[in-house]
Amino acid sequence: IDTVERMKRFLAELSRIILGLTFVVSGFLKAIDPQGGAIKISEYFTVFALPKSEGLSLILSILLCCSEFIVGAFLLMGIYRRMAARFIFLFMAVMTPLTLYLAIFNPVADCGCFGEAFLLTNWHTFFKNVVLFAAAAFLLKKPRRIQTLYSVNGRWLPAILAVSGIIIFTIANQIYLPMVDFRPFKVGKSLRELTQVPAGAPEDVYEYVFVYEKNGKRQEFDMDHLPDDSWTYVDRHEKLIKKGYTPPVTDFLLLRGGEDVTSEIVNKKGITLLLLSPDWENASDDKMDNISEMYDYAQEHAWDFYGVSASTSDDISTWRYNTGADYPMLFLDAVTVKTITRGNPSLVILRDGVIRGKVSDANFPGVGQAQAFFDRYIGNELYQPSYWGRLLVLALWVILLLFGCIRKVVFCIGSLRKGVETEQSETENNSKALKY
């Protein structure tokens, strides 16, 4: 019985660690880019023909990443065990059949389990969830088997740090853009290299395929092996026989009045500022003075400044009327705009076609601060902002978690050593008694 119980406790600890780490990592990676999670949720709304709302998608994204991290943290710490076990079991009971549906019908390419940091196929996601569901079901039976790192009176501090830390971290990434960019348009990347085919790069090689018919049977022939006159020509098409170079990004197409100006923009020397918004209708107009400050500074230094969005001409006219904007406008697909940056609006700073910085409207320079602002981004070295402000509370939680783990290990080693010494002492006493 003792052996069986020890095995059950071992499996409970293993399940706790697997589930806790998975949910903490999943929630943390989603919290890096909550707007990306909102985009993924909107995809699910489309797949299941549900009414979409950007605001609702964002709220659900924030709730999802925070709740995943919190219950995972509680499991790792061994606190509020029953609540955490029940939540994770219910969560996996919903997600496992959902991911089976996704694996079979493939309506979306990736479930978004780990944000955009790790992309899993739908079948890989389903098999992962099967393992997690089994672990959650095991913990649900007897959550008290989970070892706790803190006493009932001492668990409040790490719990508060975990909850407040992930909320602060998520909101900061939403307001000030993601701390880590997992998308192609990272700071330091060249738009020319991302979007253009370099000179001399191998091109796609095609050959013509001819379709002929004879006696009701159709057959394909290449140019060098055409059939005789007894065959009747039916059709001709091209067949790819060798794939050429494809740039990493294929949906970056800047239009000015219907004219493709992508090459002109990405190959432009000097500083270019792109004010991006998926649509001007929903863009925040609270920072108009700040945008005007940047535009005036750009004109003084002969920099190019463009507004970039997927808005209609009517929306652009409304934006100009409400804000007094007189900078030239370019068209870019809304999905691509959201891929480049999450803010609405946000600024992308280019130097010689290289992305030097991406800034949300919350960090636009104030009046009289434009020079100091741009000096950060156009110098020789890439500007690396500090993220310790949004990470501080989570870092404190990690320190407490490690401290609790170390203390638990030391306690277990001490108990084991004490048990061995007690057993040796009893053996010696028994030997002496027998000898006496």
mmCIF file of all heavy atoms in Angstrom, residues 144-180:
data_model
loop_
_atom_site.group_PDB
_atom_site.id
_atom_site.type_symbol
_atom_site.label_atom_id
_atom_site.label_comp_id
_atom_site.label_asym_id
_atom_site.label_seq_id
_atom_site.Cartn_x
_atom_site.Cartn_y
_atom_site.Cartn_z
ATOM 1 N N ARG A 144 -5.231 17.086 -3.039
ATOM 2 C CA ARG A 144 -4.465 17.234 -1.804
ATOM 3 C C ARG A 144 -3.133 16.494 -1.860
ATOM 4 O O ARG A 144 -2.278 16.708 -1.002
ATOM 5 C CB ARG A 144 -5.275 16.708 -0.620
ATOM 6 C CG ARG A 144 -6.556 17.498 -0.336
ATOM 7 C CD ARG A 144 -6.247 18.864 0.197
ATOM 8 N NE ARG A 144 -7.443 19.628 0.511
ATOM 9 C CZ ARG A 144 -7.438 20.862 0.964
ATOM 10 N NH1 ARG A 144 -6.287 21.470 1.162
ATOM 11 N NH2 ARG A 144 -8.566 21.501 1.204
ATOM 12 N N ARG A 145 -2.972 15.610 -2.873
ATOM 13 C CA ARG A 145 -1.678 14.933 -3.024
ATOM 14 C C ARG A 145 -0.587 15.913 -3.463
ATOM 15 O O ARG A 145 0.591 15.631 -3.330
ATOM 16 C CB ARG A 145 -1.783 13.804 -4.051
ATOM 17 C CG ARG A 145 -2.538 12.566 -3.579
ATOM 18 C CD ARG A 145 -2.209 11.405 -4.502
ATOM 19 N NE ARG A 145 -2.920 10.193 -4.110
ATOM 20 C CZ ARG A 145 -4.024 9.753 -4.696
ATOM 21 N NH1 ARG A 145 -4.553 10.456 -5.690
ATOM 22 N NH2 ARG A 145 -4.612 8.649 -4.304
ATOM 23 N N ILE A 146 -0.999 17.044 -4.020
ATOM 24 C CA ILE A 146 -0.020 18.024 -4.501
ATOM 25 C C ILE A 146 0.723 18.627 -3.312
ATOM 26 O O ILE A 146 0.114 19.087 -2.346
ATOM 27 C CB ILE A 146 -0.722 19.144 -5.298
ATOM 28 C CG1 ILE A 146 -1.466 18.556 -6.499
ATOM 29 C CG2 ILE A 146 0.275 20.195 -5.747
ATOM 30 C CD1 ILE A 146 -2.300 19.574 -7.248
ATOM 31 N N GLN A 147 2.047 18.609 -3.394
ATOM 32 C CA GLN A 147 2.863 19.200 -2.337
ATOM 33 C C GLN A 147 2.810 20.726 -2.427
ATOM 34 O O GLN A 147 2.828 21.308 -3.500
ATOM 35 C CB GLN A 147 4.317 18.736 -2.476
ATOM 36 C CG GLN A 147 4.506 17.241 -2.273
ATOM 37 C CD GLN A 147 4.201 16.835 -0.842
ATOM 38 O OE1 GLN A 147 4.624 17.496 0.102
ATOM 39 N NE2 GLN A 147 3.475 15.735 -0.677
ATOM 40 N N THR A 148 2.709 21.372 -1.293
ATOM 41 C CA THR A 148 2.667 22.822 -1.254
ATOM 42 C C THR A 148 4.013 23.390 -0.822
ATOM 43 O O THR A 148 4.703 22.804 0.014
ATOM 44 C CB THR A 148 1.558 23.322 -0.310
ATOM 45 O OG1 THR A 148 1.559 24.747 -0.315
ATOM 46 C CG2 THR A 148 1.767 22.807 1.105
ATOM 47 N N LEU A 149 4.385 24.518 -1.416
ATOM 48 C CA LEU A 149 5.649 25.161 -1.069
ATOM 49 C C LEU A 149 5.490 26.203 0.029
ATOM 50 O O LEU A 149 6.475 26.657 0.603
ATOM 51 C CB LEU A 149 6.248 25.846 -2.313
ATOM 52 C CG LEU A 149 6.520 24.959 -3.531
ATOM 53 C CD1 LEU A 149 7.155 25.790 -4.642
ATOM 54 C CD2 LEU A 149 7.409 23.783 -3.174
ATOM 55 N N TYR A 150 4.237 26.565 0.346
ATOM 56 C CA TYR A 150 4.008 27.623 1.315
ATOM 57 C C TYR A 150 2.890 27.212 2.276
ATOM 58 O O TYR A 150 1.978 26.471 1.910
ATOM 59 C CB TYR A 150 3.621 28.933 0.609
ATOM 60 C CG TYR A 150 4.632 29.398 -0.396
ATOM 61 C CD1 TYR A 150 4.484 29.073 -1.741
ATOM 62 C CD2 TYR A 150 5.732 30.143 -0.006
ATOM 63 C CE1 TYR A 150 5.416 29.489 -2.675
ATOM 64 C CE2 TYR A 150 6.672 30.561 -0.929
ATOM 65 C CZ TYR A 150 6.510 30.233 -2.265
ATOM 66 O OH TYR A 150 7.437 30.639 -3.182
ATOM 67 N N SER A 151 2.950 27.730 3.446
ATOM 68 C CA SER A 151 1.905 27.472 4.427
ATOM 69 C C SER A 151 0.659 28.273 4.083
ATOM 70 O O SER A 151 0.694 29.183 3.241
ATOM 71 C CB SER A 151 2.389 27.843 5.829
ATOM 72 O OG SER A 151 2.608 29.247 5.908
ATOM 73 N N VAL A 152 -0.445 27.948 4.772
ATOM 74 C CA VAL A 152 -1.688 28.680 4.532
ATOM 75 C C VAL A 152 -1.516 30.159 4.855
ATOM 76 O O VAL A 152 -2.045 31.035 4.155
ATOM 77 C CB VAL A 152 -2.826 28.068 5.380
ATOM 78 C CG1 VAL A 152 -4.090 28.902 5.246
ATOM 79 C CG2 VAL A 152 -3.082 26.629 4.963
ATOM 80 N N ASN A 153 -0.770 30.463 5.885
ATOM 81 C CA ASN A 153 -0.564 31.858 6.279
ATOM 82 C C ASN A 153 0.463 32.583 5.416
ATOM 83 O O ASN A 153 0.503 33.819 5.403
ATOM 84 C CB ASN A 153 -0.120 31.931 7.741
ATOM 85 C CG ASN A 153 -1.207 31.440 8.693
ATOM 86 O OD1 ASN A 153 -2.391 31.597 8.419
ATOM 87 N ND2 ASN A 153 -0.798 30.844 9.804
ATOM 88 N N GLY A 154 1.298 31.821 4.688
ATOM 89 C CA GLY A 154 2.361 32.458 3.919
ATOM 90 C C GLY A 154 2.147 32.456 2.427
ATOM 91 O O GLY A 154 2.985 32.977 1.680
ATOM 92 N N ARG A 155 1.012 31.916 1.977
ATOM 93 C CA ARG A 155 0.808 31.793 0.530
ATOM 94 C C ARG A 155 0.296 33.078 -0.113
ATOM 95 O O ARG A 155 0.314 33.210 -1.341
ATOM 96 C CB ARG A 155 -0.182 30.673 0.248
ATOM 97 C CG ARG A 155 -1.584 30.935 0.753
ATOM 98 C CD ARG A 155 -2.480 29.726 0.580
ATOM 99 N NE ARG A 155 -3.839 29.998 1.071
ATOM 100 C CZ ARG A 155 -4.817 29.108 1.093
ATOM 101 N NH1 ARG A 155 -4.579 27.874 0.662
ATOM 102 N NH2 ARG A 155 -6.013 29.435 1.538
ATOM 103 N N TRP A 156 -0.173 34.034 0.678
ATOM 104 C CA TRP A 156 -0.800 35.226 0.112
ATOM 105 C C TRP A 156 0.173 36.085 -0.685
ATOM 106 O O TRP A 156 -0.185 36.658 -1.725
ATOM 107 C CB TRP A 156 -1.429 36.069 1.226
ATOM 108 C CG TRP A 156 -0.432 36.598 2.217
ATOM 109 C CD1 TRP A 156 0.011 35.989 3.343
ATOM 110 C CD2 TRP A 156 0.267 37.844 2.135
ATOM 111 N NE1 TRP A 156 0.936 36.763 3.985
ATOM 112 C CE2 TRP A 156 1.108 37.917 3.267
ATOM 113 C CE3 TRP A 156 0.254 38.900 1.238
ATOM 114 C CZ2 TRP A 156 1.937 39.009 3.496
ATOM 115 C CZ3 TRP A 156 1.078 39.992 1.462
ATOM 116 C CH2 TRP A 156 1.911 40.044 2.592
ATOM 117 N N LEU A 157 1.436 36.171 -0.226
ATOM 118 C CA LEU A 157 2.394 37.044 -0.904
ATOM 119 C C LEU A 157 2.740 36.539 -2.312
ATOM 120 O O LEU A 157 2.614 37.302 -3.281
ATOM 121 C CB LEU A 157 3.651 37.210 -0.055
ATOM 122 C CG LEU A 157 4.755 38.071 -0.678
ATOM 123 C CD1 LEU A 157 4.218 39.465 -0.996
ATOM 124 C CD2 LEU A 157 5.966 38.161 0.243
ATOM 125 N N PRO A 158 3.175 35.276 -2.493
ATOM 126 C CA PRO A 158 3.447 34.823 -3.857
ATOM 127 C C PRO A 158 2.199 34.818 -4.730
ATOM 128 O O PRO A 158 2.298 35.032 -5.949
ATOM 129 C CB PRO A 158 4.007 33.408 -3.662
ATOM 130 C CG PRO A 158 3.546 32.983 -2.319
ATOM 131 C CD PRO A 158 3.485 34.221 -1.495
ATOM 132 N N ALA A 159 1.032 34.572 -4.132
ATOM 133 C CA ALA A 159 -0.212 34.596 -4.913
ATOM 134 C C ALA A 159 -0.478 35.999 -5.454
ATOM 135 O O ALA A 159 -0.817 36.171 -6.633
ATOM 136 C CB ALA A 159 -1.377 34.121 -4.058
ATOM 137 N N ILE A 160 -0.313 37.007 -4.595
ATOM 138 C CA ILE A 160 -0.539 38.386 -5.034
ATOM 139 C C ILE A 160 0.475 38.784 -6.103
ATOM 140 O O ILE A 160 0.140 39.449 -7.094
ATOM 141 C CB ILE A 160 -0.472 39.343 -3.828
ATOM 142 C CG1 ILE A 160 -1.707 39.162 -2.945
ATOM 143 C CG2 ILE A 160 -0.357 40.790 -4.289
ATOM 144 C CD1 ILE A 160 -1.684 40.014 -1.696
ATOM 145 N N LEU A 161 1.730 38.376 -5.923
ATOM 146 C CA LEU A 161 2.758 38.705 -6.915
ATOM 147 C C LEU A 161 2.448 38.071 -8.269
ATOM 148 O O LEU A 161 2.622 38.702 -9.315
ATOM 149 C CB LEU A 161 4.129 38.249 -6.422
ATOM 150 C CG LEU A 161 4.733 39.037 -5.252
ATOM 151 C CD1 LEU A 161 6.063 38.430 -4.836
ATOM 152 C CD2 LEU A 161 4.911 40.502 -5.623
ATOM 153 N N ALA A 162 1.996 36.814 -8.254
ATOM 154 C CA ALA A 162 1.678 36.131 -9.513
ATOM 155 C C ALA A 162 0.506 36.799 -10.213
ATOM 156 O O ALA A 162 0.547 37.056 -11.423
ATOM 157 C CB ALA A 162 1.371 34.654 -9.249
ATOM 158 N N VAL A 163 -0.558 37.106 -9.466
ATOM 159 C CA VAL A 163 -1.764 37.697 -10.062
ATOM 160 C C VAL A 163 -1.488 39.113 -10.560
ATOM 161 O O VAL A 163 -1.758 39.452 -11.721
ATOM 162 C CB VAL A 163 -2.927 37.693 -9.046
ATOM 163 C CG1 VAL A 163 -4.118 38.460 -9.606
ATOM 164 C CG2 VAL A 163 -3.331 36.263 -8.706
ATOM 165 N N SER A 164 -0.944 39.949 -9.669
ATOM 166 C CA SER A 164 -0.694 41.337 -10.067
ATOM 167 C C SER A 164 0.396 41.426 -11.130
ATOM 168 O O SER A 164 0.322 42.258 -12.044
ATOM 169 C CB SER A 164 -0.303 42.174 -8.849
ATOM 170 O OG SER A 164 0.876 41.659 -8.238
ATOM 171 N N GLY A 165 1.388 40.544 -11.050
ATOM 172 C CA GLY A 165 2.486 40.582 -12.008
ATOM 173 C C GLY A 165 2.032 40.308 -13.433
ATOM 174 O O GLY A 165 2.398 41.039 -14.364
ATOM 175 N N ILE A 166 1.219 39.282 -13.628
ATOM 176 C CA ILE A 166 0.805 38.946 -14.992
ATOM 177 C C ILE A 166 -0.176 39.978 -15.529
ATOM 178 O O ILE A 166 -0.182 40.268 -16.737
ATOM 179 C CB ILE A 166 0.193 37.521 -15.046
ATOM 180 C CG1 ILE A 166 0.093 37.046 -16.494
ATOM 181 C CG2 ILE A 166 -1.153 37.468 -14.359
ATOM 182 C CD1 ILE A 166 1.398 36.944 -17.217
ATOM 183 N N ILE A 167 -0.992 40.572 -14.659
ATOM 184 C CA ILE A 167 -1.921 41.609 -15.119
ATOM 185 C C ILE A 167 -1.151 42.855 -15.565
ATOM 186 O O ILE A 167 -1.401 43.411 -16.649
ATOM 187 C CB ILE A 167 -2.925 41.967 -14.009
ATOM 188 C CG1 ILE A 167 -3.869 40.782 -13.751
ATOM 189 C CG2 ILE A 167 -3.733 43.204 -14.390
ATOM 190 C CD1 ILE A 167 -4.820 40.988 -12.580
ATOM 191 N N ILE A 168 -0.191 43.297 -14.750
ATOM 192 C CA ILE A 168 0.629 44.459 -15.109
ATOM 193 C C ILE A 168 1.396 44.192 -16.395
ATOM 194 O O ILE A 168 1.458 45.035 -17.301
ATOM 195 C CB ILE A 168 1.598 44.804 -13.973
ATOM 196 C CG1 ILE A 168 0.815 45.293 -12.744
ATOM 197 C CG2 ILE A 168 2.612 45.863 -14.406
ATOM 198 C CD1 ILE A 168 1.670 45.457 -11.503
ATOM 199 N N PHE A 169 1.971 42.998 -16.492
ATOM 200 C CA PHE A 169 2.765 42.624 -17.661
ATOM 201 C C PHE A 169 1.911 42.633 -18.925
ATOM 202 O O PHE A 169 2.323 43.151 -19.974
ATOM 203 C CB PHE A 169 3.363 41.237 -17.426
ATOM 204 C CG PHE A 169 4.250 40.745 -18.529
ATOM 205 C CD1 PHE A 169 5.496 41.293 -18.734
ATOM 206 C CD2 PHE A 169 3.830 39.720 -19.366
ATOM 207 C CE1 PHE A 169 6.318 40.835 -19.748
ATOM 208 C CE2 PHE A 169 4.644 39.255 -20.382
ATOM 209 C CZ PHE A 169 5.893 39.813 -20.572
ATOM 210 N N THR A 170 0.707 42.072 -18.860
ATOM 211 C CA THR A 170 -0.169 42.000 -20.024
ATOM 212 C C THR A 170 -0.618 43.384 -20.468
ATOM 213 O O THR A 170 -0.570 43.710 -21.670
ATOM 214 C CB THR A 170 -1.402 41.135 -19.700
ATOM 215 O OG1 THR A 170 -0.979 39.850 -19.242
ATOM 216 C CG2 THR A 170 -2.267 40.949 -20.939
ATOM 217 N N ILE A 171 -1.062 44.194 -19.526
ATOM 218 C CA ILE A 171 -1.539 45.530 -19.869
ATOM 219 C C ILE A 171 -0.410 46.381 -20.451
ATOM 220 O O ILE A 171 -0.612 47.141 -21.415
ATOM 221 C CB ILE A 171 -2.142 46.218 -18.630
ATOM 222 C CG1 ILE A 171 -3.348 45.420 -18.107
ATOM 223 C CG2 ILE A 171 -2.566 47.636 -18.967
ATOM 224 C CD1 ILE A 171 -4.457 45.239 -19.104
ATOM 225 N N ALA A 172 0.792 46.248 -19.891
ATOM 226 C CA ALA A 172 1.932 47.008 -20.410
ATOM 227 C C ALA A 172 2.254 46.618 -21.845
ATOM 228 O O ALA A 172 2.555 47.477 -22.690
ATOM 229 C CB ALA A 172 3.155 46.791 -19.511
ATOM 230 N N ASN A 173 2.182 45.334 -22.151
ATOM 231 C CA ASN A 173 2.446 44.893 -23.522
ATOM 232 C C ASN A 173 1.356 45.341 -24.483
ATOM 233 O O ASN A 173 1.615 45.506 -25.685
ATOM 234 C CB ASN A 173 2.569 43.364 -23.564
ATOM 235 C CG ASN A 173 3.886 42.878 -23.010
ATOM 236 O OD1 ASN A 173 4.937 43.399 -23.338
ATOM 237 N ND2 ASN A 173 3.839 41.870 -22.155
ATOM 238 N N GLN A 174 0.153 45.519 -23.979
ATOM 239 C CA GLN A 174 -0.923 46.025 -24.821
ATOM 240 C C GLN A 174 -0.761 47.520 -25.092
ATOM 241 O O GLN A 174 -0.962 47.985 -26.218
ATOM 242 C CB GLN A 174 -2.285 45.747 -24.166
ATOM 243 C CG GLN A 174 -3.470 46.387 -24.858
ATOM 244 C CD GLN A 174 -3.665 45.931 -26.284
ATOM 245 O OE1 GLN A 174 -3.242 44.833 -26.654
ATOM 246 N NE2 GLN A 174 -4.300 46.764 -27.097
ATOM 247 N N ILE A 175 -0.368 48.268 -24.079
ATOM 248 C CA ILE A 175 -0.268 49.721 -24.226
ATOM 249 C C ILE A 175 1.004 50.128 -24.967
ATOM 250 O O ILE A 175 0.975 50.989 -25.854
ATOM 251 C CB ILE A 175 -0.308 50.392 -22.841
ATOM 252 C CG1 ILE A 175 -1.666 50.152 -22.173
ATOM 253 C CG2 ILE A 175 -0.029 51.890 -22.956
ATOM 254 C CD1 ILE A 175 -1.758 50.684 -20.756
ATOM 255 N N TYR A 176 2.129 49.480 -24.637
ATOM 256 C CA TYR A 176 3.431 49.931 -25.140
ATOM 257 C C TYR A 176 4.031 49.011 -26.197
ATOM 258 O O TYR A 176 5.232 49.081 -26.450
ATOM 259 C CB TYR A 176 4.412 50.073 -23.979
ATOM 260 C CG TYR A 176 3.956 51.046 -22.929
ATOM 261 C CD1 TYR A 176 3.483 50.606 -21.700
ATOM 262 C CD2 TYR A 176 3.966 52.415 -23.178
ATOM 263 C CE1 TYR A 176 3.060 51.502 -20.728
ATOM 264 C CE2 TYR A 176 3.541 53.315 -22.211
ATOM 265 C CZ TYR A 176 3.091 52.848 -20.992
ATOM 266 O OH TYR A 176 2.657 53.742 -20.037
ATOM 267 N N LEU A 177 3.240 48.144 -26.805
ATOM 268 C CA LEU A 177 3.679 47.176 -27.812
ATOM 269 C C LEU A 177 4.386 45.995 -27.138
ATOM 270 O O LEU A 177 4.944 46.118 -26.039
ATOM 271 C CB LEU A 177 4.602 47.804 -28.852
ATOM 272 C CG LEU A 177 3.993 48.947 -29.687
ATOM 273 C CD1 LEU A 177 5.001 49.403 -30.749
ATOM 274 C CD2 LEU A 177 2.686 48.557 -30.332
ATOM 275 N N PRO A 178 4.381 44.821 -27.781
ATOM 276 C CA PRO A 178 4.940 43.609 -27.163
ATOM 277 C C PRO A 178 6.412 43.759 -26.788
ATOM 278 O O PRO A 178 7.192 44.394 -27.506
ATOM 279 C CB PRO A 178 4.753 42.551 -28.259
ATOM 280 C CG PRO A 178 3.598 43.041 -29.065
ATOM 281 C CD PRO A 178 3.717 44.541 -29.054
ATOM 282 N N MET A 179 6.765 43.158 -25.670
ATOM 283 C CA MET A 179 8.143 43.197 -25.201
ATOM 284 C C MET A 179 9.061 42.461 -26.165
ATOM 285 O O MET A 179 10.191 42.877 -26.418
ATOM 286 C CB MET A 179 8.231 42.561 -23.809
ATOM 287 C CG MET A 179 9.600 42.610 -23.194
ATOM 288 S SD MET A 179 9.667 41.729 -21.615
ATOM 289 C CE MET A 179 9.604 40.024 -22.189
ATOM 290 N N VAL A 180 8.585 41.323 -26.706
ATOM 291 C CA VAL A 180 9.340 40.527 -27.670
ATOM 292 C C VAL A 180 8.503 40.429 -28.934
ATOM 293 O O VAL A 180 7.304 40.157 -28.871
ATOM 294 C CB VAL A 180 9.650 39.125 -27.123
ATOM 295 C CG1 VAL A 180 10.462 38.329 -28.136
ATOM 296 C CG2 VAL A 180 10.398 39.209 -25.802
#
